[in-house]
Amino acid sequence: MGAWWRRLRFTLGRAVAGGADVREQRHIRVQAVRDYHRDLARRSQAVLNQRTRNGWWLGPAPYGYRLTQHCADHEAHPRWRHRLAIDPDRAAVVPAIFAWFVHDRLTDHAIAIRLSTAPDQYPRPLDHTTGQPRHWTPAIVRTIRTNPAYLGYAARERTHDGRPASRDEWVWSTEPSHPALISPSTFWAAYNRDSLPPEAELDEPSQRGAV
């Protein structure tokens, strides 16, 4: 922040020395602030992407997992970070959702109805803010079956400005960061809504993003 303010004062000083009027000075000031915000966003994004590559989980745990705390003592400034661990009450529901979608060809709506009929067998998802159970909805089912976390890797940058990003743009952890709940072939079959043959099983970490 201090370095940026010094650059701003220097820029404004040059504008005044150069004879810029009040309107021009205001334009320079506004542009400098915008440049600062863009630079700050780029820096923040780079930090978050690196944490993902290191296998740390950012945000609430997906359905079927819970958060565990770890001290990132290998970083320049040790901090508490999160990784994912199995939620024993809900983990088994995730493979069932994928199987219904890939093999039984059920829709998200039909899966949500099936899950809702047996709450003891298929525990409801919890609200990340209140911790209270939520009703199964097609949107929640879709969120589960499109989340690459179930491959055992941390991933982010899956959307840009609210739109899905291509898989080549996703940021992945360099190594598996938590237990996988779904095989790569099943996940990508669900993601593409196109079942893959058994021989297409992709188990190597280097192939986590393959079709």
Side-chain angles (χ1 to χ4, degrees):
M1 178 71 75
W4 178 80
W5 278 112
R6 286 194 295 272
R7 290 198 301 270
L8 177 59
R9 287 198 299 268
F10 176 75
T11 301
L12 292 177
R14 292 185 60 183
V16 173
D21 59 24
V22 174
R23 178 177 296 182
E24 290 174 324
Q25 291 181 34
R26 182 177 182 278
H27 173 75
I28 292 171
R29 186 182 299 109
V30 169
Q31 187 60 48
V33 171
R34 288 175 178 170
D35 291 343
Y36 167 72
H37 286 164
R38 281 194 292 266
D39 182 62
L40 181 63
R42 284 194 296 267
R43 290 170 181 264
S44 299
Q45 201 79 331
V47 169
L48 295 178
N49 287 347
Q50 186 56 52
R51 289 179 185 172
T52 296
R53 294 187 184 96
N54 291 341
W56 301 118
W57 187 259
L58 310 176
Y63 184 90
Y65 290 109
R66 58 185 177 84
L67 295 178
T68 58
Q69 278 194 333
H70 301 265
C71 182
D73 53 8
H74 62 282
E75 297 183 359
H77 302 285
R79 294 288 189 276
W80 288 104
R81 307 289 185 215
H82 290 114
R83 292 196 189 277
L84 296 179
I86 295 292
D87 177 348
D89 296 328
R90 292 172 171 79
V93 181
V94 175
I97 290 174
F98 277 85
W100 294 334
F101 188 80
V102 173
H103 302 299
D104 296 347
R105 311 298 288 182
L106 296 185
T107 64
D108 295 334
H109 180 73
I111 292 173
I113 292 176
R114 178 175 291 189
L115 292 167
S116 300
T117 59
D120 292 336
Q121 185 177 359
Y122 310 120
R124 290 191 291 170
L126 301 178
D127 186 276
H128 297 312
T129 302
T130 65
Q132 297 300 310
R134 300 178 60 189
H135 293 292
W136 285 105
T137 65
I140 291 177
V141 172
R142 187 180 188 282
T143 296
I144 290 173
R145 67 171 180 79
T146 58
N147 193 336
Y150 298 113
L151 293 170
Y153 290 80
R156 70 185 311 270
E157 291 293 305
R158 295 189 291 129
T159 60
H160 289 160
D161 298 324
R163 298 180 179 180
S166 68
R167 296 205 305 261
D168 293 339
E169 298 178 280
W170 295 4
V171 176
W172 297 83
S173 56
T174 55
E175 300 289 341
S177 58
H178 52 269
L181 296 181
I182 299 297
S183 70
S185 62
T186 299
F187 175 81
W188 293 117
Y191 192 86
N192 298 313
R193 197 64 194 253
D194 181 24
S195 297
L196 299 178
E199 58 268 26
E201 189 80 6
L202 306 173
D203 288 328
E204 293 299 320
S206 61
Q207 294 179 299
R208 61 185 178 273
V211 177

